[in-house]
Every structure is written in structure tokens, then in C-alpha cells.
Amino acid sequence: MKTYTLYQKIALVTFCGETLLCYAYVITRHEVVVFLGFFYTLFALLIHGMALIALIHEAVYAPENRRQHLKDFGVLVLNVPVVACYLLLYTLIQTHSR
């Protein structure tokens, strides 16, 4: 069984949460879901930023795991554009639903 690092779990949980909230809006069309999705996405962006800073700090002070740090960094960085796209999507939904 594959074990995930903390940074990979952060990326997976935020991605799944954003996707579920987006699907919930598509299914229900409730404004509350858009509101929750928008703030969840902002929170995910904050968590990603903090995780990236922690990962860079860890990579500097624990260089023996450089390969794993690079993988974790790649997963987090690849998830940032996804967060930005969901943020843009929620913003567009909010502006066009009024």
C-alpha cells in the first residue's frame, strides 16, 4: 500500500474538496455552495502557501530527502493552478448569477 506524505495529502484533500464543492453547485445551483466554495478555495490557497514555505524550509534543513522534497514540491505546485482555476470559476459564477 502506498503511503502519502503530508504535502501530498494536503494537495489531495484540497483538490477533492474543491471538486466536490464544484459538483455540488452544478447539481444544486445554490448560492450558498458558491459562497462556501469560494472561501474554501481561498483557505486552500493559504494552506498551499504555508505548506510550500514549510517544504522549502524542510528541504533546506534536511537535504538528505531531497528527492522526496522535490516530488512533494511538484505535487503542491501543480495543484496551485487548479486552486486558481476554481477560484476564477467561483468568481465568475458569483458575478454572472446576480
Side-chain angles (χ1 to χ4, degrees):
M1 174 180 257
K2 181 175 169 82
T3 59
Y4 295 104
T5 64
L6 173 66
Y7 304 108
Q8 292 171 346
K9 289 177 185 176
I10 288 171
L12 183 66
V13 167
T14 56
F15 176 76
C16 289
E18 293 163 355
T19 304
L20 288 175
L21 282 167
C22 188
Y23 285 148
Y25 173 73
V26 169
I27 292 169
T28 63
R29 299 284 183 192
H30 286 292
E31 292 291 321
V32 175
V33 177
V34 174
F35 182 76
L36 289 174
F38 181 77
F39 284 104
Y40 178 83
T41 305
L42 285 177
F43 180 72
L45 193 59
L46 176 71
I47 295 297
H48 277 269
M50 291 172 28
L52 282 171
I53 291 170
L55 184 60
I56 290 170
H57 179 269
E58 192 175 313
V60 168
Y61 291 105
E64 63 273 357
N65 296 331
R66 195 168 303 233
R67 186 179 192 103
Q68 185 61 46
H69 294 315
L70 188 60
K71 288 179 187 177
D72 292 341
F73 186 77
V75 169
L76 281 174
V77 168
L78 286 174
N79 206 14
V80 170
V82 174
V83 171
C85 286
Y86 275 119
L87 192 61
L88 178 65
L89 178 69
Y90 288 127
T91 304
L92 290 174
I93 290 171
Q94 284 179 343
T95 57
H96 289 300
S97 66
R98 294 178 187 184

